[in-house]
Amino acid sequence: MGTQANKTIFELIRIMKEIYKKDLTIYDDAFLIKSLERRMAGIKLSAAEYPLYLQQNRLEADLLMASFQITYSQFFRNALTFAVLEKLILPQLFSQKPENGEIRVWSAGCSTGQEAYSIGILLEEGIKSVSKPRRFRIFATDLSSEALSVARTGLYDGDDIANIRMKQLKNYFEKQGDAYAIGSELKEKIDFSEYDLLDSHSSNPPDSIFGDFDIIFCCNLLFYYSTDVRRSIIRKLKRSLAKGGYLVTGEAESIFMAKDQDLKMLSSSVPIFQISR
């Protein structure tokens, strides 16, 4: 798109701010351009034509904003990350918690719920392997009410459950026709709610009351934002971690996360960081 892309991006930001009260400067420039190209290709408009079309069509503004909400998810998405959690981190947390102690987890940007349910399955399995009773609570948040609706329903098709072990499928899912539903016992331990990570008036989801999370998942989300916004989100996540808590990100985000002096990367092969305070 070249020079025209820069002009279009500038005009796009102005229109969305002035007419629709939406701030697009929070997003990374490359992400903005890719989203714009997808929208223009879908409606067969050039970069020069698109700003006027956007200005005259509220529906297009809504569709453009929706395109910034990435809702792709899958169970046990990064197999190595979940293996490290299962074999090393969760057993350590279980041993540190007092009897009837609660492990608290925040799945930030949970999308349609697969990540939160994956964590829940590992925690359920871990609890059954320890001698003294333990509890857990997962707070899963997203900006998309549509994605959260799918998550709360907890109904997935055959392709969605491809990474689920047969034993897990038997223990935590119920077959409903051609689909698979999350069992009620696991569902009851996960709170899905709408929450904006950019909300400057709170450090954690209101439903969690006080934060203090043992593990926070914020995967494949941070790199969509500009550098300043990304730093703001990371500060919020660090404030919400319990002492010695863990922050899990996506693989692509580990490069800039490794530069944070408050976080220690456990291994170069997995994007899991432990807060040093």
Side-chain angles (χ1 to χ4, degrees):
M1 291 172 66
T3 304
Q4 184 61 56
N6 294 330
K7 290 181 180 178
T8 302
I9 289 292
F10 180 81
E11 187 67 3
L12 173 71
I13 292 171
R14 184 193 66 79
I15 292 169
M16 293 300 286
K17 183 72 171 178
E18 292 181 5
I19 299 179
Y20 304 111
K21 313 303 179 188
K22 303 291 185 182
D23 182 12
L24 299 190
T25 62
I26 64 173
Y27 295 109
D28 176 75
D29 287 347
F31 176 56
L32 271 179
I33 291 172
K34 286 181 181 179
S35 299
L36 176 61
E37 287 175 337
R38 283 196 299 268
R39 287 303 313 156
M40 291 190 306
I43 55 180
K44 295 181 173 59
L45 288 179
S46 69
E49 296 169 320
Y50 187 73
L52 180 60
Y53 181 80
L54 178 68
Q55 190 169 331
Q56 296 174 342
N57 290 272
R58 175 58 191 250
L59 176 59
E60 178 56 28
D62 292 340
L63 291 171
L64 180 62
M65 288 304 299
S67 73
F68 299 136
Q69 296 183 12
I70 308 301
T71 57
Y72 174 77
S73 185
Q74 64 180 146
F75 287 100
F76 300 102
R77 183 171 180 178
N78 185 327
L80 185 56
T81 294
F82 278 98
V84 171
L85 286 166
E86 180 182 17
K87 302 299 183 183
L88 299 177
I89 293 175
L90 293 185
Q92 183 177 347
L93 286 174
F94 283 128
S95 68
Q96 292 171 348
K97 292 289 178 180
E99 187 168 336
N100 288 315
E102 182 179 72
I103 292 177
R104 293 168 59 83
V105 180
W106 178 11
S107 172
C110 68
S111 186
T112 45
Q114 290 94 322
E115 177 180 270
Y117 288 126
S118 298
I119 304 162
I121 288 171
L122 292 189
L123 284 164
E124 284 280 23
E125 291 177 335
I127 283 174
K128 292 172 182 176
S129 67
V130 296
S131 56
K132 295 181 180 179
R134 301 288 190 273
R135 298 176 293 117
F136 72 86
R137 196 84 209 162
I138 298 172
F139 300 89
T141 64
D142 203 273
L143 262 182
S144 170
S145 57
E146 291 83 3
L148 287 168
S149 178
V150 174
R152 291 188 185 103
T153 302
L155 190 65
Y156 302 98
D157 63 25
D159 291 335
D160 290 325
I161 54 95
N163 293 337
I164 302 291
R165 301 170 190 162
M166 288 303 297
K167 185 177 179 181
Q168 292 169 338
L169 195 62
K170 179 181 177 181
N171 290 341
Y172 304 106
F173 291 79
E174 299 170 0
K175 190 84 159 59
Q176 293 187 4
D178 293 329
Y180 298 83
I182 298 290
S184 58
E185 187 176 341
L186 178 56
K187 261 189 181 182
E188 289 170 0
K189 297 173 182 176
I190 304 176
D191 297 308
F192 289 101
S193 63
E194 197 167 329
Y195 180 71
D196 187 355
L197 279 169
L198 304 185
D199 180 2
S200 60
H201 301 294
S202 64
S203 293
N204 45 262
D207 287 357
S208 72
I209 304 177
F210 54 85
D212 204 30
F213 297 105
D214 297 291
I215 306 174
I216 296 177
F217 278 73
C218 188
C219 302
N220 307 298
L221 183 151
L222 291 169
F223 54 71
Y224 292 118
Y225 290 103
S226 67
T227 302
D228 289 344
V229 172
R230 183 191 305 156
R231 287 173 180 160
S232 175
I233 294 173
I234 293 170
R235 284 195 297 270
K236 171 178 287 196
L237 298 177
K238 290 192 295 186
R239 287 196 302 269
S240 298
L241 280 170
K243 183 178 180 180
Y246 299 91
L247 175 60
V248 183
T249 70
E251 290 180 316
E253 294 150 331
S254 63
I255 297 173
F256 56 78
M257 291 299 302
K259 299 176 182 177
D260 194 300
Q261 295 183 347
D262 296 327
L263 297 167
K264 176 186 176 183
M265 193 173 188
L266 298 190
S267 166
S268 59
S269 58
V270 290
I272 301 177
F273 303 84
Q274 186 173 28
I275 193 143
S276 56
R277 56 169 171 77

